[in-house]
Amino acid sequence: MPHDKLFTSMLPDDSDDRTLLENIRPGTWENPQPRGKYDLVILGAGPAGMFAAVKAATLGAKVALIERNLLGGACLNFGCIPSKTIISTSRLYAEMRNAEHFGARVPGEIKVDFPAVMERMRSIRARISRSVSAMELTSMGVDVYFGEASFRGADAVTVDGKSLRFKKALIATGARPMVPSIPGLVAAGYLTYEGVFNLTDWPRRLLVIGGGPQGCELAQALCRLGSQVTIVQDEPMFLRQEERDAAQILSEVLARDGIDIHLNTQTVNVRVEGKLKLVDLVRDDDKQTVTADEILVGTGRVPNVEGMNLEAARVEYYGETGIRINDFLQTTNRRIYAAGDVCFEHRFTHIEDASAGIVVQNALFWGRKRLSALTIPWCTYTDPEIAHVGLYVRDALEKNIPVKTFTVPMHDVDRAITDGEDKGFVKIHVKEGTDKILGATVVARHAGEMINTISLAIGSGIGLRSLARVVQAYPTQAQAIKMAADAYNGTRLTPALKRLLRLWLAW
Ligand SMILES: Cc1cc2nc3c(=O)[nH]c(=O)nc-3n(C[C@H](O)[C@H](O)[C@H](O)COP(=O)(O)OP(=O)(O)OC[C@H]3O[C@@H](n4cnc5c(N)ncnc54)[C@H](O)[C@@H]3O)c2cc1C
């Protein structure tokens, strides 16, 4: 398959990107001949498709995996992996600038070597791509096909002129960047997450449209890597769904990093003057023009439902929310399943992993596993990170569940203080009068790691009382969770019990 046919070209054409492509879209690849009727045909080889393919093939199923672009999907190529790699370098630069607060000195001026940052990213991406390579998948027994997949009826898919018959199919075609219709934007040119990791030099002035996870993560990283960043969000706070105080901390740290923040602001027009992009912003009656060298659009993703002839397969879908599924991940054609960004409300790689297990069990082994049974945490990898699991207070109240919240600020946690990472909190919500954990939000440098403990507790039905009994290594930032649990235990002492204890001790 010639590389110039790829929808998304990888730039620059260096040895790392060539290794990457050899793994995830080999230039000499020949699609296999179909091996009769497949147990499972999968459309799309992002995390959802790949996890399902590997799980099913490992259990002995005959599996075909079809990818029109690059194996690994958004996560490997322009999502989790490249973003987290440059975020780690950007944190290092922020720490170097802040070295004096740690009693350390960085000799000389701190200069960002942006090409080296991106080179490291490409090399890490190429390294990780080995585990999802076409050869690796083939060695596991998966038939890998490159080409655009579309249904030929309710039990067959065509790709590259071949017809693949199936007992069950999985649609895992993911999503693509959503581009808002702002006059002048297309003519002026813009980046999305699909192009931003191709940069070899930083944009001196960068305007980011969108204050969701993608926009905030990339705005902070690129600011710390030297760009002068402006971020525009049309809502009153960043990370719309997160708790207000978490979003407030994020605003403060982005401002402290030097990002020019415009909340409650609409981007209404883009003009080009010479090499510059002039972006008109409106907030209430206030109009302002920001000059940028590049615009990065981070306004979310839209599901890939077009071009698959879903009507022929009797699969219902909607343009905005994607494929209609039930709790067992079946589409309106019960033999066809869907998983991942093409149909889920929450769009994260770890959900694709968990849901792939549901698809394989339900489709191939008469399972009745439900999506709603999963406990799904998520994290925005800004600094500090913002992680959440379970219900928000507003969700609980909507369900008429009374809530009691235990909050521990990170500035009360010894390890957070020693590490100079004391911004944030751990907040755990329980059902009032019980220790049943309903949900939690963690804002901390390593919130993504910390949330997993609470996720484990919710998923296993472990209450806050049991968490208080866990002996944790000292000093760790995760102790904030134990401190919240101890605070819960404190509330179990009723005045009568306290009086009794006092009497006992006096005796
Ligand atoms: C910048 C960014 C950062 C992110 N960071 C994180 C993170 O830190 N943690 C996290 O959990 N998630 C993160 N995500 C989200 C994560 O990348 C996605 O949730 C995940 O990739 C979705 O997997 P998927 O398999 O559903 O879809 P995709 O990854 O979109 O893969 C779908 C695949 O299907 C292919 N396809 C589409 N149509 C067809 C067709 N007709 N025929 C054949 N193939 C087709 C596509 O080419 C694509 O390769 C991030 C996303 C972005 C954009």
Side-chain angles (χ1 to χ4, degrees), residues 228-278:
Q228 201 179 306
V229 176
T230 301
I231 186 165
V232 188
Q233 159 82 326
D234 58 2
E235 308 220 5
M237 59 181 234
F238 292 123
L239 306 182
R240 173 159 55 117
Q241 68 176 355
E242 296 303 341
E243 299 190 9
R244 190 167 279 273
D245 41 5
Q248 180 57 36
I249 290 180
L250 183 55
S251 288
E252 285 164 23
V253 296
L254 293 186
R256 195 185 57 195
D257 274 335
I259 296 179
D260 183 19
I261 295 174
H262 296 259
L263 293 172
N264 255 332
T265 302
Q266 305 290 332
T267 309
V268 292
N269 191 53
V270 182
R271 287 167 286 137
V272 177
E273 264 184 34
K275 287 188 168 172
L276 299 178
K277 299 172 190 195
L278 305 183

Short mmCIF file of all heavy atoms in Angstrom, two decimals, residues 228-278:
data_model
loop_
_atom_site.label_atom_id
_atom_site.label_comp_id
_atom_site.label_asym_id
_atom_site.label_seq_id
_atom_site.Cartn_x
_atom_site.Cartn_y
_atom_site.Cartn_z
N GLN A 228 3.65 31.50 22.87
CA GLN A 228 2.82 32.45 23.60
C GLN A 228 1.38 32.04 23.29
O GLN A 228 0.94 32.16 22.16
CB GLN A 228 3.12 33.82 23.00
CG GLN A 228 2.80 35.00 23.82
CD GLN A 228 3.21 36.23 23.01
OE1 GLN A 228 4.36 36.35 22.55
NE2 GLN A 228 2.27 37.12 22.80
N VAL A 229 0.68 31.51 24.29
CA VAL A 229 -0.61 30.85 24.01
C VAL A 229 -1.79 31.68 24.50
O VAL A 229 -1.79 32.21 25.61
CB VAL A 229 -0.65 29.45 24.66
CG1 VAL A 229 -2.01 28.79 24.45
CG2 VAL A 229 0.44 28.55 24.10
N THR A 230 -2.80 31.75 23.64
CA THR A 230 -4.09 32.31 24.03
C THR A 230 -5.09 31.17 23.93
O THR A 230 -5.06 30.42 22.95
CB THR A 230 -4.52 33.42 23.03
OG1 THR A 230 -3.52 34.42 23.04
CG2 THR A 230 -5.86 34.03 23.40
N ILE A 231 -5.95 31.03 24.94
CA ILE A 231 -6.97 29.97 24.85
C ILE A 231 -8.36 30.59 24.97
O ILE A 231 -8.59 31.46 25.81
CB ILE A 231 -6.72 28.85 25.89
CG1 ILE A 231 -7.70 27.69 25.68
CG2 ILE A 231 -6.78 29.36 27.31
CD1 ILE A 231 -7.31 26.41 26.41
N VAL A 232 -9.24 30.13 24.09
CA VAL A 232 -10.59 30.68 24.05
C VAL A 232 -11.59 29.57 24.32
O VAL A 232 -11.56 28.52 23.68
CB VAL A 232 -10.89 31.25 22.64
CG1 VAL A 232 -12.22 31.99 22.65
CG2 VAL A 232 -9.78 32.17 22.19
N GLN A 233 -12.45 29.82 25.30
CA GLN A 233 -13.46 28.82 25.66
C GLN A 233 -14.81 29.54 25.70
O GLN A 233 -14.92 30.60 26.31
CB GLN A 233 -13.08 28.21 27.03
CG GLN A 233 -14.19 27.55 27.80
CD GLN A 233 -14.43 26.11 27.33
OE1 GLN A 233 -14.28 25.80 26.15
NE2 GLN A 233 -14.86 25.26 28.23
N ASP A 234 -15.81 28.95 25.04
CA ASP A 234 -17.10 29.66 24.96
C ASP A 234 -17.97 29.47 26.21
O ASP A 234 -19.07 29.98 26.28
CB ASP A 234 -17.86 29.25 23.69
CG ASP A 234 -18.11 27.75 23.64
OD1 ASP A 234 -17.72 27.06 24.61
OD2 ASP A 234 -18.67 27.26 22.64
N GLU A 235 -17.46 28.75 27.20
CA GLU A 235 -18.23 28.53 28.43
C GLU A 235 -17.56 29.28 29.59
O GLU A 235 -16.41 29.69 29.47
CB GLU A 235 -18.27 27.04 28.73
CG GLU A 235 -18.76 26.26 27.54
CD GLU A 235 -19.69 25.14 27.93
OE1 GLU A 235 -20.03 25.03 29.11
OE2 GLU A 235 -20.06 24.38 27.04
N PRO A 236 -18.26 29.37 30.74
CA PRO A 236 -17.66 30.13 31.85
C PRO A 236 -16.48 29.45 32.52
O PRO A 236 -15.79 30.07 33.31
CB PRO A 236 -18.83 30.29 32.84
CG PRO A 236 -19.88 29.37 32.40
CD PRO A 236 -19.65 29.00 30.98
N MET A 237 -16.27 28.16 32.25
CA MET A 237 -15.11 27.48 32.86
C MET A 237 -14.52 26.44 31.91
O MET A 237 -15.17 26.03 30.95
CB MET A 237 -15.51 26.83 34.19
CG MET A 237 -16.61 25.80 34.09
SD MET A 237 -17.02 25.13 35.72
CE MET A 237 -16.83 23.38 35.43
N PHE A 238 -13.28 26.05 32.19
CA PHE A 238 -12.67 24.97 31.42
C PHE A 238 -13.28 23.65 31.86
O PHE A 238 -13.91 23.55 32.91
CB PHE A 238 -11.16 24.92 31.68
CG PHE A 238 -10.42 26.11 31.12
CD1 PHE A 238 -9.66 26.92 31.93
CD2 PHE A 238 -10.52 26.43 29.77
CE1 PHE A 238 -8.98 28.02 31.41
CE2 PHE A 238 -9.84 27.52 29.24
CZ PHE A 238 -9.08 28.32 30.06
N LEU A 239 -13.07 22.60 31.10
CA LEU A 239 -13.50 21.24 31.43
C LEU A 239 -14.93 21.24 31.93
O LEU A 239 -15.21 20.94 33.10
CB LEU A 239 -12.57 20.62 32.49
CG LEU A 239 -11.07 20.62 32.19
CD1 LEU A 239 -10.33 19.92 33.31
CD2 LEU A 239 -10.75 19.96 30.86
N ARG A 240 -15.80 21.59 31.03
CA ARG A 240 -17.23 21.79 31.31
C ARG A 240 -17.82 20.84 32.35
O ARG A 240 -18.58 21.24 33.21
CB ARG A 240 -17.94 21.64 29.97
CG ARG A 240 -19.40 21.62 29.95
CD ARG A 240 -19.83 21.98 28.57
NE ARG A 240 -19.22 21.10 27.57
CZ ARG A 240 -19.93 20.29 26.80
NH1 ARG A 240 -21.23 20.23 26.93
NH2 ARG A 240 -19.34 19.56 25.88
N GLN A 241 -17.46 19.53 32.26
CA GLN A 241 -18.17 18.60 33.13
C GLN A 241 -17.56 18.46 34.51
O GLN A 241 -18.18 17.89 35.41
CB GLN A 241 -18.29 17.24 32.47
CG GLN A 241 -16.97 16.52 32.33
CD GLN A 241 -17.17 15.14 31.76
OE1 GLN A 241 -18.28 14.69 31.58
NE2 GLN A 241 -16.08 14.45 31.47
N GLU A 242 -16.33 18.97 34.69
CA GLU A 242 -15.68 18.76 35.98
C GLU A 242 -16.24 19.69 37.06
O GLU A 242 -16.94 20.65 36.75
CB GLU A 242 -14.16 18.98 35.85
CG GLU A 242 -13.46 18.00 34.94
CD GLU A 242 -13.66 16.54 35.34
OE1 GLU A 242 -14.02 16.27 36.50
OE2 GLU A 242 -13.47 15.68 34.47
N GLU A 243 -15.89 19.40 38.31
CA GLU A 243 -16.39 20.22 39.41
C GLU A 243 -15.77 21.62 39.31
O GLU A 243 -14.64 21.77 38.86
CB GLU A 243 -16.07 19.53 40.74
CG GLU A 243 -16.77 18.18 40.77
CD GLU A 243 -16.75 17.49 42.12
OE1 GLU A 243 -16.34 18.11 43.10
OE2 GLU A 243 -17.16 16.33 42.17
N ARG A 244 -16.56 22.58 39.75
CA ARG A 244 -16.19 23.97 39.55
C ARG A 244 -14.83 24.32 40.17
O ARG A 244 -14.02 25.01 39.57
CB ARG A 244 -17.29 24.85 40.18
CG ARG A 244 -17.20 26.30 39.86
CD ARG A 244 -18.48 26.99 40.25
NE ARG A 244 -19.50 26.80 39.24
CZ ARG A 244 -19.65 27.60 38.19
NH1 ARG A 244 -18.85 28.62 38.03
NH2 ARG A 244 -20.59 27.39 37.31
N ASP A 245 -14.58 23.80 41.40
CA ASP A 245 -13.31 24.17 42.05
C ASP A 245 -12.11 23.53 41.34
O ASP A 245 -11.00 24.08 41.37
CB ASP A 245 -13.31 23.86 43.55
CG ASP A 245 -13.96 22.53 43.87
OD1 ASP A 245 -14.34 21.81 42.94
OD2 ASP A 245 -14.08 22.22 45.07
N ALA A 246 -12.34 22.39 40.68
CA ALA A 246 -11.24 21.79 39.90
C ALA A 246 -10.94 22.67 38.69
O ALA A 246 -9.77 22.97 38.40
CB ALA A 246 -11.65 20.39 39.45
N ALA A 247 -11.99 23.10 38.02
CA ALA A 247 -11.81 23.95 36.84
C ALA A 247 -11.19 25.29 37.22
O ALA A 247 -10.39 25.86 36.47
CB ALA A 247 -13.15 24.16 36.14
N GLN A 248 -11.54 25.77 38.42
CA GLN A 248 -10.99 27.04 38.89
C GLN A 248 -9.48 26.93 39.09
O GLN A 248 -8.72 27.80 38.67
CB GLN A 248 -11.69 27.44 40.21
CG GLN A 248 -11.22 28.74 40.82
CD GLN A 248 -11.38 29.93 39.86
OE1 GLN A 248 -12.35 29.99 39.10
NE2 GLN A 248 -10.40 30.83 39.86
N ILE A 249 -9.05 25.81 39.67
CA ILE A 249 -7.60 25.60 39.86
C ILE A 249 -6.90 25.57 38.51
O ILE A 249 -5.85 26.15 38.31
CB ILE A 249 -7.32 24.30 40.65
CG1 ILE A 249 -7.78 24.49 42.10
CG2 ILE A 249 -5.85 23.91 40.59
CD1 ILE A 249 -7.57 23.28 43.00
N LEU A 250 -7.56 24.92 37.54
CA LEU A 250 -6.95 24.84 36.22
C LEU A 250 -6.78 26.24 35.62
O LEU A 250 -5.72 26.57 35.08
CB LEU A 250 -7.82 23.95 35.30
CG LEU A 250 -7.26 23.73 33.90
CD1 LEU A 250 -5.85 23.15 33.95
CD2 LEU A 250 -8.16 22.79 33.11
N SER A 251 -7.81 27.08 35.75
CA SER A 251 -7.69 28.46 35.24
C SER A 251 -6.51 29.15 35.88
O SER A 251 -5.72 29.83 35.22
CB SER A 251 -8.94 29.28 35.59
OG SER A 251 -10.00 28.88 34.82
N GLU A 252 -6.37 28.97 37.20
CA GLU A 252 -5.28 29.66 37.91
C GLU A 252 -3.91 29.20 37.42
O GLU A 252 -3.03 30.01 37.18
CB GLU A 252 -5.39 29.39 39.42
CG GLU A 252 -6.52 30.16 40.07
CD GLU A 252 -6.87 29.60 41.46
OE1 GLU A 252 -6.01 28.94 42.09
OE2 GLU A 252 -8.00 29.81 41.88
N VAL A 253 -3.76 27.87 37.25
CA VAL A 253 -2.42 27.40 36.87
C VAL A 253 -2.10 27.76 35.41
O VAL A 253 -0.96 28.07 35.09
CB VAL A 253 -2.20 25.89 37.11
CG1 VAL A 253 -2.27 25.56 38.58
CG2 VAL A 253 -3.15 25.03 36.33
N LEU A 254 -3.12 27.73 34.55
CA LEU A 254 -2.86 28.11 33.15
C LEU A 254 -2.44 29.58 33.09
O LEU A 254 -1.53 29.96 32.37
CB LEU A 254 -4.08 27.85 32.27
CG LEU A 254 -4.49 26.38 32.07
CD1 LEU A 254 -5.64 26.27 31.07
CD2 LEU A 254 -3.32 25.51 31.63
N ALA A 255 -3.12 30.42 33.90
CA ALA A 255 -2.77 31.84 33.94
C ALA A 255 -1.36 32.01 34.50
O ALA A 255 -0.56 32.79 33.98
CB ALA A 255 -3.79 32.61 34.77
N ARG A 256 -1.04 31.24 35.54
CA ARG A 256 0.30 31.34 36.15
C ARG A 256 1.39 30.94 35.16
O ARG A 256 2.49 31.47 35.15
CB ARG A 256 0.35 30.43 37.38
CG ARG A 256 1.52 30.71 38.31
CD ARG A 256 1.57 29.70 39.42
NE ARG A 256 1.64 28.33 38.89
CZ ARG A 256 1.41 27.23 39.60
NH1 ARG A 256 1.04 27.33 40.86
NH2 ARG A 256 1.50 26.03 39.06
N ASP A 257 1.05 29.98 34.27
CA ASP A 257 2.01 29.58 33.24
C ASP A 257 2.21 30.68 32.19
O ASP A 257 3.11 30.60 31.36
CB ASP A 257 1.52 28.31 32.53
CG ASP A 257 1.95 27.04 33.27
OD1 ASP A 257 2.95 27.10 34.00
OD2 ASP A 257 1.27 26.01 33.12
N GLY A 258 1.30 31.65 32.17
CA GLY A 258 1.42 32.76 31.22
C GLY A 258 0.46 32.66 30.05
O GLY A 258 0.62 33.37 29.05
N ILE A 259 -0.54 31.79 30.15
CA ILE A 259 -1.50 31.66 29.06
C ILE A 259 -2.54 32.77 29.18
O ILE A 259 -3.01 33.08 30.28
CB ILE A 259 -2.19 30.27 29.11
CG1 ILE A 259 -1.14 29.19 28.88
CG2 ILE A 259 -3.32 30.17 28.09
CD1 ILE A 259 -1.66 27.77 28.94
N ASP A 260 -2.87 33.36 28.04
CA ASP A 260 -3.88 34.42 28.01
C ASP A 260 -5.25 33.73 27.89
O ASP A 260 -5.53 33.07 26.89
CB ASP A 260 -3.57 35.30 26.78
CG ASP A 260 -4.51 36.46 26.67
OD1 ASP A 260 -5.14 36.82 27.69
OD2 ASP A 260 -4.61 37.03 25.56
N ILE A 261 -6.07 33.86 28.95
CA ILE A 261 -7.30 33.07 29.04
C ILE A 261 -8.53 33.91 28.67
O ILE A 261 -8.71 35.01 29.20
CB ILE A 261 -7.47 32.52 30.46
CG1 ILE A 261 -6.34 31.53 30.76
CG2 ILE A 261 -8.82 31.85 30.65
CD1 ILE A 261 -6.32 31.05 32.18
N HIS A 262 -9.35 33.39 27.78
CA HIS A 262 -10.61 34.06 27.43
C HIS A 262 -11.76 33.07 27.65
O HIS A 262 -12.01 32.21 26.81
CB HIS A 262 -10.60 34.50 25.97
CG HIS A 262 -9.56 35.54 25.67
ND1 HIS A 262 -9.84 36.88 25.56
CD2 HIS A 262 -8.23 35.42 25.51
CE1 HIS A 262 -8.72 37.54 25.33
NE2 HIS A 262 -7.72 36.68 25.29
N LEU A 263 -12.43 33.20 28.79
CA LEU A 263 -13.59 32.34 29.07
C LEU A 263 -14.86 33.07 28.62
O LEU A 263 -14.84 34.29 28.42
CB LEU A 263 -13.66 32.03 30.57
CG LEU A 263 -12.52 31.15 31.11
CD1 LEU A 263 -12.59 31.05 32.63
CD2 LEU A 263 -12.55 29.76 30.49
N ASN A 264 -15.94 32.30 28.48
CA ASN A 264 -17.21 32.92 28.08
C ASN A 264 -17.08 33.71 26.79
O ASN A 264 -17.72 34.73 26.60
CB ASN A 264 -17.66 33.90 29.17
CG ASN A 264 -18.80 33.31 29.95
OD1 ASN A 264 -19.57 32.50 29.41
ND2 ASN A 264 -18.92 33.72 31.19
N THR A 265 -16.20 33.27 25.92
CA THR A 265 -15.84 34.06 24.75
C THR A 265 -16.08 33.26 23.46
O THR A 265 -15.76 32.08 23.40
CB THR A 265 -14.34 34.46 24.84
OG1 THR A 265 -14.15 35.19 26.05
CG2 THR A 265 -13.90 35.31 23.66
N GLN A 266 -16.63 33.95 22.47
CA GLN A 266 -16.88 33.30 21.17
C GLN A 266 -15.77 33.70 20.19
O GLN A 266 -15.37 34.86 20.18
CB GLN A 266 -18.22 33.78 20.58
CG GLN A 266 -19.42 33.58 21.48
CD GLN A 266 -19.78 32.12 21.64
OE1 GLN A 266 -19.53 31.30 20.74
NE2 GLN A 266 -20.36 31.78 22.79
N THR A 267 -15.35 32.75 19.38
CA THR A 267 -14.43 33.08 18.28
C THR A 267 -15.33 33.33 17.08
O THR A 267 -16.01 32.41 16.61
CB THR A 267 -13.49 31.89 18.00
OG1 THR A 267 -12.91 31.50 19.23
CG2 THR A 267 -12.41 32.26 17.01
N VAL A 268 -15.36 34.56 16.57
CA VAL A 268 -16.39 34.87 15.57
C VAL A 268 -15.85 35.00 14.15
O VAL A 268 -16.61 34.87 13.18
CB VAL A 268 -17.17 36.16 15.95
CG1 VAL A 268 -18.02 35.93 17.17
CG2 VAL A 268 -16.26 37.35 16.13
N ASN A 269 -14.57 35.27 14.01
CA ASN A 269 -14.06 35.46 12.64
C ASN A 269 -12.54 35.31 12.62
O ASN A 269 -11.88 35.59 13.61
CB ASN A 269 -14.44 36.88 12.17
CG ASN A 269 -14.18 37.04 10.70
OD1 ASN A 269 -14.66 36.25 9.88
ND2 ASN A 269 -13.39 38.05 10.33
N VAL A 270 -12.04 34.86 11.48
CA VAL A 270 -10.58 34.78 11.31
C VAL A 270 -10.22 35.46 9.99
O VAL A 270 -10.88 35.24 8.97
CB VAL A 270 -10.11 33.30 11.28
CG1 VAL A 270 -8.59 33.24 11.17
CG2 VAL A 270 -10.57 32.54 12.52
N ARG A 271 -9.18 36.31 10.04
CA ARG A 271 -8.68 36.96 8.82
C ARG A 271 -7.19 36.70 8.71
O ARG A 271 -6.54 36.42 9.71
CB ARG A 271 -8.86 38.49 8.91
CG ARG A 271 -10.28 38.97 8.77
CD ARG A 271 -10.38 40.42 9.19
NE ARG A 271 -10.30 40.57 10.65
CZ ARG A 271 -9.60 41.50 11.28
NH1 ARG A 271 -8.89 42.38 10.59
NH2 ARG A 271 -9.60 41.58 12.59
N VAL A 272 -6.68 36.84 7.48
CA VAL A 272 -5.23 36.65 7.30
C VAL A 272 -4.63 37.97 6.84
O VAL A 272 -5.18 38.65 5.96
CB VAL A 272 -4.97 35.57 6.22
CG1 VAL A 272 -3.48 35.40 5.98
CG2 VAL A 272 -5.56 34.24 6.66
N GLU A 273 -3.54 38.36 7.47
CA GLU A 273 -2.78 39.53 7.01
C GLU A 273 -1.33 39.12 6.88
O GLU A 273 -0.68 38.84 7.90
CB GLU A 273 -2.91 40.67 8.03
CG GLU A 273 -4.01 41.66 7.64
CD GLU A 273 -4.08 42.84 8.59
OE1 GLU A 273 -3.03 43.26 9.11
OE2 GLU A 273 -5.20 43.31 8.82
N GLY A 274 -0.88 39.02 5.66
CA GLY A 274 0.48 38.50 5.45
C GLY A 274 0.53 37.07 5.96
O GLY A 274 -0.28 36.23 5.57
N LYS A 275 1.47 36.81 6.90
CA LYS A 275 1.57 35.45 7.44
C LYS A 275 0.79 35.30 8.74
O LYS A 275 0.79 34.24 9.36
CB LYS A 275 3.04 35.11 7.72
CG LYS A 275 3.83 34.87 6.45
CD LYS A 275 5.21 34.35 6.81
CE LYS A 275 5.90 33.82 5.56
NZ LYS A 275 7.26 33.48 5.79
N LEU A 276 0.14 36.40 9.16
CA LEU A 276 -0.52 36.38 10.47
C LEU A 276 -2.00 36.07 10.36
O LEU A 276 -2.65 36.38 9.37
CB LEU A 276 -0.35 37.74 11.15
CG LEU A 276 1.10 38.15 11.41
CD1 LEU A 276 1.17 39.53 12.04
CD2 LEU A 276 1.78 37.11 12.31
N LYS A 277 -2.51 35.46 11.43
CA LYS A 277 -3.95 35.17 11.50
C LYS A 277 -4.54 36.09 12.56
O LYS A 277 -4.07 36.09 13.71
CB LYS A 277 -4.17 33.71 11.86
CG LYS A 277 -3.56 32.83 10.79
CD LYS A 277 -3.53 31.37 11.09
CE LYS A 277 -2.67 30.71 10.02
NZ LYS A 277 -2.76 29.31 9.92
N LEU A 278 -5.53 36.87 12.15
CA LEU A 278 -6.16 37.79 13.10
C LEU A 278 -7.51 37.19 13.48
O LEU A 278 -8.37 36.95 12.63
CB LEU A 278 -6.36 39.18 12.48
CG LEU A 278 -5.08 39.82 11.92
CD1 LEU A 278 -5.35 41.21 11.39
CD2 LEU A 278 -3.99 39.88 12.98
#
